[in-house]
Amino acid sequence: MLLDRDGTLVEDVPYNGDPEKVRPVPGAREALDRLRAAGLRLAVVTNQSGLARGCFTAHDLRRVNARVEELLGPFDNWQICPHAEPDRCACRKPAPGMVHAAARALGTTASRCVLVGDIGADMAAAAAAGAAAVMVPTPATRDAEVAAAPTVAADLPDAVDTILARMRLVEGPRTARRPGRGTVLVVRSDAAGDVLVTGPGIRAVAAGADRVVLLCGPRGRAAADLLPGVDEIIECPLPWIDAPAPPVDPHDMRALTERLAAVRADEAVVFTSFHQSPLPLALLLRLAGVPRISAISDDYPGALLDTRHRVPVGVPEPERALSLAAAAGYPLPPDDEPGLRLRTDRLPPVPAAAGPPGYVVLHPGSSVETRACPVELATRVVRVLSAAGHRVVVTGGPDERELTARVAAAGGTDLGGRTGLDELAAVIARAGALVVGNTGPAHLAAALGVPVVSLFAPTVPFGQWGPYRVPTVRLGDAAAPCRDTRATTCPVPGHPCLSAVEPGRVLEALRLLGVAA
């Protein structure tokens, strides 16, 4: 657990070198003691440019920090950046250096940490390190910073409530089931990215089951083939999930019910997105004779569900899946990192045209128009990155050849239409970073540990759908008029949430992520 100091733990007194001016924010001591009682180790990560500016001495800083501990209790580690912004050091937030250093000092990794802070630099430092983050705004916090934060709390006690609640969600009930629970049918019928973010939940089920059968749709099949823990795949579209929705064919539904019955599943865990209902499929599973069914449902399920789970709005999709698995009795084992993961042994060779590892992949397209990178911006990004010495590989699906050819003409290598999902994963695995919108390849990169420059349109919440537990820099206008509309066609002419991004910011994002040309 990482915490900013000024404005988060104590009132922000600019360049404070006087211990007598230390004032904890309301409820800080009680909130921190709750974290300690939960077994969390605490570290402070704080920019203190007053040292470089000569506003106070190192001795003054030690006295101030000692007063903070006197009032708030001990911290397990302190990370302090003494530099000013012009120094361009690796530790000053928004750089991720202090986050990584604090994680090492606490005996963990950044991807297992949460940083609580009050400004955008705190959120950016956490994201660039692959850590989670919660913003506690103050009157000095800019509206744009609040809009871009992955999670926002009213104050420090509220942030602690949020963090502890999310911990309890993925831990599940104390009486988890023993391994060897027979055959479990898991379901995620949606696009490739949706299947990928469900991976941690499926791994949790696999750790406690003898056999796992995954029901997915055609759009998610390629991703399903790469998931660890899956023994068998059933591919079938579900008309109440797919968009545009096809007609419901009674013959197809009877055939699906018979196929599900043939699995002879001991139970089923139905994973869905926050806007989807598991109940139509739960009815078919009952007709197929599945004796136990678990799912997240806000609607009254009647006799369709044995475990009716509920999740607060805004929880990241991988944690949403993990929480359902835990509620069904399948918590993720302690030795399994909760991030996304792929079967890398199933990845094919990389096309020779990509060249040696270390390139930057730019994936400009998306199956959803609002989540794609505008072609003009993508073209300018390729030109700027190439001029700075980066090798850029442009990727896209078979129907995006014209798009990728146009973008790559600015100085990149065009692989458009030459990679299926598994080949694309292989290309991304050898990349220094991926530049992409809110689409499936972002989750591939997260599963492979490849840093992401996320050109994220705010039509859906970033905290819920952004790249999970991987170093990330988010670009774009998080407060654009399309925010939270879930629009699939851009409601504002010109795609302003992304088109206003300057290509130089992508270059700066790569520097922040430590990706050298």
Short mmCIF file of all heavy atoms in Angstrom, two decimals, residues 100-168:
data_model
loop_
_atom_site.label_atom_id
_atom_site.label_comp_id
_atom_site.label_asym_id
_atom_site.label_seq_id
_atom_site.Cartn_x
_atom_site.Cartn_y
_atom_site.Cartn_z
N HIS A 100 8.25 1.67 -8.03
CA HIS A 100 9.02 0.44 -8.13
C HIS A 100 9.91 0.25 -6.90
O HIS A 100 10.01 -0.86 -6.35
CB HIS A 100 9.87 0.44 -9.39
CG HIS A 100 9.10 0.24 -10.65
ND1 HIS A 100 8.37 -0.90 -10.89
CD2 HIS A 100 8.95 1.03 -11.76
CE1 HIS A 100 7.80 -0.82 -12.09
NE2 HIS A 100 8.13 0.34 -12.63
N ALA A 101 10.57 1.32 -6.46
CA ALA A 101 11.48 1.21 -5.32
C ALA A 101 10.72 0.84 -4.04
O ALA A 101 11.18 0.01 -3.24
CB ALA A 101 12.23 2.53 -5.13
N ALA A 102 9.55 1.45 -3.84
CA ALA A 102 8.76 1.14 -2.65
C ALA A 102 8.27 -0.31 -2.69
O ALA A 102 8.28 -1.00 -1.67
CB ALA A 102 7.57 2.10 -2.55
N ALA A 103 7.85 -0.76 -3.85
CA ALA A 103 7.39 -2.15 -3.97
C ALA A 103 8.52 -3.12 -3.62
O ALA A 103 8.31 -4.09 -2.88
CB ALA A 103 6.88 -2.41 -5.39
N ARG A 104 9.72 -2.84 -4.13
CA ARG A 104 10.86 -3.71 -3.80
C ARG A 104 11.13 -3.70 -2.30
O ARG A 104 11.39 -4.74 -1.68
CB ARG A 104 12.11 -3.26 -4.57
CG ARG A 104 12.07 -3.58 -6.05
CD ARG A 104 13.45 -3.39 -6.67
NE ARG A 104 13.91 -2.01 -6.58
CZ ARG A 104 13.68 -1.08 -7.50
NH1 ARG A 104 12.97 -1.38 -8.58
NH2 ARG A 104 14.15 0.15 -7.35
N ALA A 105 11.08 -2.52 -1.71
CA ALA A 105 11.35 -2.42 -0.27
C ALA A 105 10.30 -3.17 0.56
O ALA A 105 10.61 -3.67 1.65
CB ALA A 105 11.39 -0.95 0.14
N LEU A 106 9.08 -3.25 0.04
CA LEU A 106 8.01 -3.96 0.75
C LEU A 106 8.00 -5.45 0.42
O LEU A 106 7.15 -6.19 0.92
CB LEU A 106 6.66 -3.34 0.40
CG LEU A 106 6.44 -1.89 0.82
CD1 LEU A 106 5.07 -1.40 0.40
CD2 LEU A 106 6.63 -1.72 2.32
N GLY A 107 8.93 -5.88 -0.44
CA GLY A 107 9.01 -7.28 -0.77
C GLY A 107 7.97 -7.76 -1.75
O GLY A 107 7.56 -8.93 -1.73
N THR A 108 7.52 -6.87 -2.64
CA THR A 108 6.49 -7.24 -3.60
C THR A 108 6.81 -6.59 -4.95
O THR A 108 7.93 -6.13 -5.18
CB THR A 108 5.10 -6.83 -3.09
OG1 THR A 108 4.09 -7.33 -3.98
CG2 THR A 108 4.96 -5.32 -2.97
N THR A 109 5.84 -6.59 -5.85
CA THR A 109 5.99 -5.95 -7.15
C THR A 109 4.98 -4.81 -7.27
O THR A 109 3.95 -4.80 -6.56
CB THR A 109 5.74 -6.95 -8.29
OG1 THR A 109 4.40 -7.46 -8.18
CG2 THR A 109 6.73 -8.11 -8.22
N ALA A 110 5.25 -3.89 -8.18
CA ALA A 110 4.35 -2.75 -8.35
C ALA A 110 2.95 -3.19 -8.74
O ALA A 110 1.96 -2.57 -8.34
CB ALA A 110 4.91 -1.79 -9.40
N SER A 111 2.84 -4.28 -9.50
CA SER A 111 1.52 -4.73 -9.96
C SER A 111 0.65 -5.23 -8.82
O SER A 111 -0.56 -5.42 -9.01
CB SER A 111 1.67 -5.82 -11.02
OG SER A 111 2.28 -6.97 -10.48
N ARG A 112 1.23 -5.44 -7.64
CA ARG A 112 0.44 -5.87 -6.48
C ARG A 112 0.25 -4.73 -5.48
O ARG A 112 -0.15 -4.97 -4.34
CB ARG A 112 1.11 -7.06 -5.80
CG ARG A 112 1.21 -8.28 -6.70
CD ARG A 112 1.46 -9.54 -5.90
NE ARG A 112 0.25 -9.96 -5.22
CZ ARG A 112 -0.22 -11.21 -5.24
NH1 ARG A 112 0.40 -12.14 -5.91
NH2 ARG A 112 -1.31 -11.52 -4.58
N CYS A 113 0.54 -3.50 -5.91
CA CYS A 113 0.43 -2.34 -5.03
C CYS A 113 -0.73 -1.45 -5.46
O CYS A 113 -1.15 -1.45 -6.61
CB CYS A 113 1.72 -1.52 -5.06
SG CYS A 113 3.14 -2.36 -4.32
N VAL A 114 -1.21 -0.66 -4.50
CA VAL A 114 -2.18 0.40 -4.75
C VAL A 114 -1.58 1.69 -4.24
O VAL A 114 -1.02 1.72 -3.13
CB VAL A 114 -3.51 0.14 -4.04
CG1 VAL A 114 -4.51 1.25 -4.36
CG2 VAL A 114 -4.09 -1.21 -4.41
N LEU A 115 -1.66 2.74 -5.03
CA LEU A 115 -1.17 4.06 -4.62
C LEU A 115 -2.36 4.99 -4.42
O LEU A 115 -3.21 5.10 -5.31
CB LEU A 115 -0.21 4.63 -5.66
CG LEU A 115 0.60 5.87 -5.27
CD1 LEU A 115 1.86 5.97 -6.12
CD2 LEU A 115 -0.19 7.17 -5.42
N VAL A 116 -2.41 5.65 -3.29
CA VAL A 116 -3.44 6.65 -3.02
C VAL A 116 -2.78 8.02 -3.08
O VAL A 116 -1.77 8.26 -2.40
CB VAL A 116 -4.10 6.42 -1.64
CG1 VAL A 116 -5.16 7.50 -1.39
CG2 VAL A 116 -4.73 5.04 -1.57
N GLY A 117 -3.34 8.92 -3.88
CA GLY A 117 -2.79 10.26 -4.02
C GLY A 117 -3.87 11.25 -4.36
O GLY A 117 -5.03 10.89 -4.58
N ASP A 118 -3.45 12.52 -4.46
CA ASP A 118 -4.45 13.58 -4.63
C ASP A 118 -4.34 14.32 -5.96
O ASP A 118 -5.16 15.20 -6.22
CB ASP A 118 -4.35 14.59 -3.48
CG ASP A 118 -3.02 15.33 -3.46
OD1 ASP A 118 -1.98 14.67 -3.61
OD2 ASP A 118 -3.04 16.57 -3.32
N ILE A 119 -3.34 13.99 -6.78
CA ILE A 119 -3.19 14.71 -8.05
C ILE A 119 -2.89 13.72 -9.18
O ILE A 119 -2.59 12.54 -8.95
CB ILE A 119 -2.08 15.78 -7.99
CG1 ILE A 119 -0.73 15.15 -7.66
CG2 ILE A 119 -2.44 16.87 -6.98
CD1 ILE A 119 0.43 16.14 -7.74
N GLY A 120 -2.94 14.22 -10.41
CA GLY A 120 -2.72 13.38 -11.56
C GLY A 120 -1.35 12.74 -11.61
O GLY A 120 -1.21 11.62 -12.11
N ALA A 121 -0.32 13.41 -11.09
CA ALA A 121 1.02 12.84 -11.10
C ALA A 121 1.08 11.55 -10.29
O ALA A 121 1.81 10.63 -10.63
CB ALA A 121 2.03 13.84 -10.57
N ASP A 122 0.30 11.48 -9.21
CA ASP A 122 0.25 10.25 -8.41
C ASP A 122 -0.37 9.12 -9.24
O ASP A 122 0.14 7.99 -9.25
CB ASP A 122 -0.57 10.47 -7.14
CG ASP A 122 0.03 11.52 -6.23
OD1 ASP A 122 1.25 11.52 -6.06
OD2 ASP A 122 -0.74 12.34 -5.69
N MET A 123 -1.48 9.43 -9.91
CA MET A 123 -2.16 8.42 -10.70
C MET A 123 -1.28 7.96 -11.86
O MET A 123 -1.21 6.76 -12.17
CB MET A 123 -3.47 8.97 -11.26
CG MET A 123 -4.46 9.51 -10.21
SD MET A 123 -5.07 8.27 -9.05
CE MET A 123 -4.01 8.59 -7.61
N ALA A 124 -0.57 8.90 -12.48
CA ALA A 124 0.27 8.57 -13.63
C ALA A 124 1.46 7.72 -13.21
O ALA A 124 1.86 6.78 -13.91
CB ALA A 124 0.75 9.84 -14.32
N ALA A 125 2.05 8.02 -12.05
CA ALA A 125 3.18 7.24 -11.57
C ALA A 125 2.77 5.80 -11.29
O ALA A 125 3.49 4.85 -11.62
CB ALA A 125 3.77 7.87 -10.31
N ALA A 126 1.60 5.63 -10.66
CA ALA A 126 1.10 4.28 -10.39
C ALA A 126 0.88 3.53 -11.70
O ALA A 126 1.30 2.38 -11.86
CB ALA A 126 -0.19 4.35 -9.59
N ALA A 127 0.20 4.18 -12.65
CA ALA A 127 -0.10 3.51 -13.92
C ALA A 127 1.17 3.14 -14.66
O ALA A 127 1.28 2.04 -15.23
CB ALA A 127 -0.98 4.41 -14.79
N ALA A 128 2.16 4.03 -14.69
CA ALA A 128 3.40 3.76 -15.41
C ALA A 128 4.19 2.62 -14.79
O ALA A 128 5.02 2.00 -15.46
CB ALA A 128 4.26 5.02 -15.47
N ALA A 129 3.92 2.32 -13.52
CA ALA A 129 4.58 1.20 -12.86
C ALA A 129 3.75 -0.08 -12.94
O ALA A 129 4.24 -1.15 -12.58
CB ALA A 129 4.85 1.54 -11.40
N GLY A 130 2.50 0.03 -13.37
CA GLY A 130 1.61 -1.13 -13.40
C GLY A 130 0.85 -1.33 -12.12
O GLY A 130 0.27 -2.40 -11.89
N ALA A 131 0.81 -0.32 -11.25
CA ALA A 131 0.09 -0.42 -9.97
C ALA A 131 -1.32 0.12 -10.12
O ALA A 131 -1.62 0.89 -11.04
CB ALA A 131 0.84 0.36 -8.89
N ALA A 132 -2.19 -0.28 -9.20
CA ALA A 132 -3.52 0.31 -9.12
C ALA A 132 -3.42 1.67 -8.43
O ALA A 132 -2.40 1.98 -7.79
CB ALA A 132 -4.46 -0.61 -8.37
N ALA A 133 -4.48 2.47 -8.54
CA ALA A 133 -4.44 3.80 -7.94
C ALA A 133 -5.83 4.26 -7.57
O ALA A 133 -6.81 3.92 -8.23
CB ALA A 133 -3.79 4.80 -8.91
N VAL A 134 -5.88 5.03 -6.49
CA VAL A 134 -7.13 5.65 -6.05
C VAL A 134 -6.83 7.13 -5.80
O VAL A 134 -5.88 7.45 -5.08
CB VAL A 134 -7.68 5.00 -4.76
CG1 VAL A 134 -8.96 5.71 -4.32
CG2 VAL A 134 -7.93 3.51 -4.98
N MET A 135 -7.63 7.99 -6.40
CA MET A 135 -7.45 9.44 -6.19
C MET A 135 -8.37 9.93 -5.08
O MET A 135 -9.56 9.59 -5.04
CB MET A 135 -7.72 10.21 -7.48
CG MET A 135 -7.69 11.73 -7.28
SD MET A 135 -7.86 12.67 -8.81
CE MET A 135 -6.16 12.67 -9.37
N VAL A 136 -7.80 10.75 -4.21
CA VAL A 136 -8.56 11.47 -3.19
C VAL A 136 -8.40 12.96 -3.49
O VAL A 136 -7.43 13.58 -3.07
CB VAL A 136 -8.05 11.13 -1.77
CG1 VAL A 136 -8.85 11.89 -0.73
CG2 VAL A 136 -8.13 9.64 -1.51
N PRO A 137 -9.31 13.54 -4.26
CA PRO A 137 -9.11 14.93 -4.70
C PRO A 137 -9.18 15.91 -3.53
O PRO A 137 -9.86 15.68 -2.53
CB PRO A 137 -10.28 15.16 -5.68
CG PRO A 137 -10.83 13.81 -5.99
CD PRO A 137 -10.55 12.97 -4.79
N THR A 138 -8.47 17.01 -3.70
CA THR A 138 -8.57 18.15 -2.81
C THR A 138 -9.08 19.33 -3.63
O THR A 138 -9.18 19.24 -4.86
CB THR A 138 -7.19 18.50 -2.20
OG1 THR A 138 -6.36 19.04 -3.24
CG2 THR A 138 -6.54 17.27 -1.59
N PRO A 139 -9.38 20.47 -3.01
CA PRO A 139 -9.81 21.63 -3.80
C PRO A 139 -8.79 22.06 -4.85
O PRO A 139 -9.15 22.71 -5.83
CB PRO A 139 -10.02 22.72 -2.74
CG PRO A 139 -10.40 21.95 -1.50
CD PRO A 139 -9.58 20.70 -1.56
N ALA A 140 -7.52 21.68 -4.66
CA ALA A 140 -6.49 22.07 -5.62
C ALA A 140 -6.38 21.10 -6.79
O ALA A 140 -5.69 21.39 -7.77
CB ALA A 140 -5.14 22.17 -4.91
N THR A 141 -7.04 19.95 -6.71
CA THR A 141 -6.95 18.97 -7.79
C THR A 141 -7.73 19.45 -9.00
O THR A 141 -8.89 19.88 -8.86
CB THR A 141 -7.51 17.61 -7.33
OG1 THR A 141 -6.92 17.25 -6.08
CG2 THR A 141 -7.21 16.52 -8.36
N ARG A 142 -7.13 19.38 -10.17
CA ARG A 142 -7.80 19.84 -11.39
C ARG A 142 -8.88 18.86 -11.82
O ARG A 142 -8.75 17.65 -11.65
CB ARG A 142 -6.79 20.03 -12.52
CG ARG A 142 -5.77 21.13 -12.25
CD ARG A 142 -4.88 21.40 -13.44
NE ARG A 142 -4.04 20.24 -13.75
CZ ARG A 142 -4.12 19.54 -14.86
NH1 ARG A 142 -5.05 19.82 -15.77
NH2 ARG A 142 -3.31 18.52 -15.08
N ASP A 143 -9.96 19.39 -12.40
CA ASP A 143 -11.08 18.56 -12.84
C ASP A 143 -10.62 17.51 -13.85
O ASP A 143 -11.10 16.37 -13.82
CB ASP A 143 -12.18 19.42 -13.46
CG ASP A 143 -12.90 20.29 -12.43
OD1 ASP A 143 -12.78 19.99 -11.22
OD2 ASP A 143 -13.57 21.25 -12.84
N ALA A 144 -9.70 17.89 -14.73
CA ALA A 144 -9.22 16.94 -15.74
C ALA A 144 -8.50 15.77 -15.09
O ALA A 144 -8.56 14.63 -15.58
CB ALA A 144 -8.30 17.64 -16.74
N GLU A 145 -7.80 16.02 -13.98
CA GLU A 145 -7.11 14.95 -13.28
C GLU A 145 -8.09 14.00 -12.62
O GLU A 145 -7.89 12.78 -12.61
CB GLU A 145 -6.17 15.55 -12.23
CG GLU A 145 -5.02 16.35 -12.82
CD GLU A 145 -4.15 16.99 -11.74
OE1 GLU A 145 -4.71 17.47 -10.73
OE2 GLU A 145 -2.93 17.01 -11.91
N VAL A 146 -9.15 14.56 -12.07
CA VAL A 146 -10.18 13.72 -11.46
C VAL A 146 -10.85 12.84 -12.52
O VAL A 146 -11.07 11.64 -12.32
CB VAL A 146 -11.23 14.57 -10.73
CG1 VAL A 146 -12.34 13.70 -10.15
CG2 VAL A 146 -10.58 15.40 -9.63
N ALA A 147 -11.14 13.43 -13.68
CA ALA A 147 -11.81 12.68 -14.75
C ALA A 147 -10.94 11.52 -15.24
O ALA A 147 -11.45 10.47 -15.62
CB ALA A 147 -12.15 13.61 -15.91
N ALA A 148 -9.63 11.70 -15.24
CA ALA A 148 -8.72 10.68 -15.76
C ALA A 148 -8.36 9.61 -14.74
O ALA A 148 -7.80 8.58 -15.11
CB ALA A 148 -7.44 11.34 -16.27
N ALA A 149 -8.67 9.82 -13.47
CA ALA A 149 -8.29 8.87 -12.44
C ALA A 149 -9.06 7.56 -12.60
O ALA A 149 -10.25 7.56 -12.90
CB ALA A 149 -8.56 9.45 -11.06
N PRO A 150 -8.40 6.42 -12.38
CA PRO A 150 -9.11 5.14 -12.53
C PRO A 150 -10.17 4.90 -11.47
O PRO A 150 -11.20 4.29 -11.73
CB PRO A 150 -7.97 4.10 -12.43
CG PRO A 150 -6.89 4.79 -11.67
CD PRO A 150 -6.98 6.23 -12.06
N THR A 151 -9.91 5.39 -10.25
CA THR A 151 -10.88 5.28 -9.14
C THR A 151 -10.78 6.55 -8.32
O THR A 151 -9.69 7.06 -8.07
CB THR A 151 -10.56 4.07 -8.24
OG1 THR A 151 -10.52 2.88 -9.04
CG2 THR A 151 -11.60 3.90 -7.16
N VAL A 152 -11.93 7.08 -7.91
CA VAL A 152 -11.97 8.32 -7.14
C VAL A 152 -12.71 8.06 -5.83
O VAL A 152 -13.78 7.45 -5.83
CB VAL A 152 -12.66 9.45 -7.93
CG1 VAL A 152 -12.71 10.73 -7.08
CG2 VAL A 152 -11.92 9.72 -9.23
N ALA A 153 -12.11 8.49 -4.73
CA ALA A 153 -12.74 8.37 -3.41
C ALA A 153 -12.96 9.76 -2.83
O ALA A 153 -12.28 10.72 -3.19
CB ALA A 153 -11.87 7.54 -2.47
N ALA A 154 -13.90 9.86 -1.90
CA ALA A 154 -14.24 11.17 -1.34
C ALA A 154 -13.13 11.68 -0.42
O ALA A 154 -12.87 12.89 -0.37
CB ALA A 154 -15.55 11.07 -0.57
N ASP A 155 -12.49 10.78 0.31
CA ASP A 155 -11.42 11.16 1.24
C ASP A 155 -10.59 9.92 1.53
O ASP A 155 -10.85 8.83 0.98
CB ASP A 155 -12.00 11.78 2.52
CG ASP A 155 -13.10 10.92 3.15
OD1 ASP A 155 -13.08 9.68 2.95
OD2 ASP A 155 -13.99 11.47 3.82
N LEU A 156 -9.62 10.06 2.40
CA LEU A 156 -8.73 8.92 2.68
C LEU A 156 -9.48 7.75 3.31
O LEU A 156 -9.28 6.59 2.89
CB LEU A 156 -7.57 9.37 3.56
CG LEU A 156 -6.53 8.29 3.89
CD1 LEU A 156 -5.92 7.70 2.62
CD2 LEU A 156 -5.44 8.86 4.80
N PRO A 157 -10.35 7.96 4.31
CA PRO A 157 -11.11 6.82 4.83
C PRO A 157 -11.95 6.12 3.76
O PRO A 157 -12.06 4.89 3.76
CB PRO A 157 -11.99 7.44 5.93
CG PRO A 157 -11.21 8.64 6.39
CD PRO A 157 -10.56 9.18 5.14
N ASP A 158 -12.52 6.89 2.85
CA ASP A 158 -13.31 6.29 1.77
C ASP A 158 -12.41 5.49 0.83
O ASP A 158 -12.80 4.41 0.35
CB ASP A 158 -14.04 7.39 1.00
CG ASP A 158 -14.98 6.83 -0.07
OD1 ASP A 158 -15.65 5.82 0.19
OD2 ASP A 158 -15.02 7.40 -1.18
N ALA A 159 -11.21 5.99 0.58
CA ALA A 159 -10.27 5.23 -0.26
C ALA A 159 -9.91 3.90 0.40
O ALA A 159 -9.84 2.86 -0.27
CB ALA A 159 -9.01 6.06 -0.50
N VAL A 160 -9.70 3.91 1.70
CA VAL A 160 -9.40 2.67 2.42
C VAL A 160 -10.59 1.72 2.36
O VAL A 160 -10.42 0.51 2.17
CB VAL A 160 -8.99 2.99 3.87
CG1 VAL A 160 -8.91 1.72 4.71
CG2 VAL A 160 -7.65 3.72 3.88
N ASP A 161 -11.80 2.25 2.52
CA ASP A 161 -13.00 1.41 2.37
C ASP A 161 -13.01 0.72 1.01
O ASP A 161 -13.30 -0.48 0.90
CB ASP A 161 -14.27 2.26 2.50
CG ASP A 161 -14.54 2.69 3.94
OD1 ASP A 161 -13.98 2.08 4.86
OD2 ASP A 161 -15.33 3.64 4.12
N THR A 162 -12.71 1.49 -0.03
CA THR A 162 -12.73 0.95 -1.39
C THR A 162 -11.69 -0.16 -1.56
O THR A 162 -11.97 -1.22 -2.13
CB THR A 162 -12.47 2.08 -2.40
OG1 THR A 162 -13.51 3.05 -2.30
CG2 THR A 162 -12.42 1.54 -3.83
N ILE A 163 -10.49 0.09 -1.08
CA ILE A 163 -9.40 -0.89 -1.23
C ILE A 163 -9.70 -2.17 -0.48
O ILE A 163 -9.56 -3.28 -1.01
CB ILE A 163 -8.08 -0.26 -0.78
CG1 ILE A 163 -7.67 0.86 -1.74
CG2 ILE A 163 -6.98 -1.30 -0.67
CD1 ILE A 163 -6.63 1.79 -1.19
N LEU A 164 -10.15 -2.04 0.77
CA LEU A 164 -10.45 -3.24 1.56
C LEU A 164 -11.63 -4.00 1.00
O LEU A 164 -11.66 -5.24 1.02
CB LEU A 164 -10.69 -2.85 3.02
CG LEU A 164 -9.49 -2.27 3.76
CD1 LEU A 164 -9.86 -1.90 5.19
CD2 LEU A 164 -8.32 -3.26 3.77
N ALA A 165 -12.62 -3.28 0.46
CA ALA A 165 -13.77 -3.96 -0.14
C ALA A 165 -13.35 -4.75 -1.37
O ALA A 165 -13.82 -5.88 -1.60
CB ALA A 165 -14.85 -2.94 -0.51
N ARG A 166 -12.46 -4.18 -2.19
CA ARG A 166 -11.99 -4.91 -3.37
C ARG A 166 -11.15 -6.12 -2.98
O ARG A 166 -11.20 -7.17 -3.63
CB ARG A 166 -11.22 -3.97 -4.29
CG ARG A 166 -12.15 -3.10 -5.13
CD ARG A 166 -11.46 -2.02 -5.91
NE ARG A 166 -10.42 -2.49 -6.81
CZ ARG A 166 -9.78 -1.70 -7.67
NH1 ARG A 166 -10.10 -0.41 -7.75
NH2 ARG A 166 -8.85 -2.18 -8.46
N MET A 167 -10.40 -6.01 -1.90
CA MET A 167 -9.66 -7.17 -1.40
C MET A 167 -10.61 -8.28 -0.99
O MET A 167 -10.41 -9.46 -1.33
CB MET A 167 -8.78 -6.77 -0.22
CG MET A 167 -7.55 -5.96 -0.57
SD MET A 167 -6.61 -5.45 0.90
CE MET A 167 -6.26 -7.03 1.66
N ARG A 168 -11.67 -7.92 -0.26
CA ARG A 168 -12.62 -8.94 0.20
C ARG A 168 -13.34 -9.58 -0.98
O ARG A 168 -13.64 -10.79 -0.95
CB ARG A 168 -13.63 -8.31 1.16
CG ARG A 168 -13.05 -7.94 2.52
CD ARG A 168 -14.15 -7.59 3.51
NE ARG A 168 -14.85 -6.37 3.11
CZ ARG A 168 -14.52 -5.15 3.52
NH1 ARG A 168 -13.47 -4.98 4.30
NH2 ARG A 168 -15.21 -4.10 3.12
#
